Amino acid sequence: FRYYGVDRCVFNSSELNDIEFIRSQFYNKLEFARFSSSLGKFVGYTEWGVKQADYWNSQTSYLQAMKAQKETYCLHNIGIWYQNP
């Protein structure tokens, strides 16, 4: 059994409104929950994932931290990527 998470940034430009931060949570190669900065919340894809998403969405400080990742993680790294020829 293996649990892991994957963070990624989807973007068309270095403009903040063109960037989406996504955190996917997996268990045994099956994505059970995902945070999307476009939605601003977690969504569950399995019965357990729905319960986890509900819990994470109820944690205001955690949800705010996830929303901040778009600017903190994505915008910073995408800016570096666009600077390099």
Side-chain angles (χ1 to χ4, degrees), residues 22-62:
I22 299 170
R23 173 170 288 172
S24 296
Q25 303 289 329
F26 294 87
Y27 183 73
N28 280 353
K29 301 180 184 177
L30 178 66
E31 185 177 20
F32 67 87
R34 175 187 295 182
F35 174 83
S36 167
S37 64
S38 295
L39 295 174
K41 66 178 185 174
F42 284 90
V43 175
Y45 297 110
T46 65
E47 183 179 347
W48 185 65
V50 170
K51 291 177 184 178
Q52 286 298 115
D54 288 343
Y55 172 74
W56 289 328
N57 288 331
S58 73
Q59 304 299 306
T60 308
S61 60
Y62 184 56

Side-chain angles (χ1 to χ4, degrees), residues 9-21 37-38 70-71 74-76 78:
C9 303
V10 179
F11 60 98
N12 293 322
S13 75
S14 61
E15 297 295 320
L16 190 59
N17 60 347
D18 290 333
I19 298 171
E20 180 181 19
F21 171 76
S37 64
S38 295
K70 176 178 170 178
E71 188 169 353
C74 294
L75 185 62
H76 171 75
I78 290 168

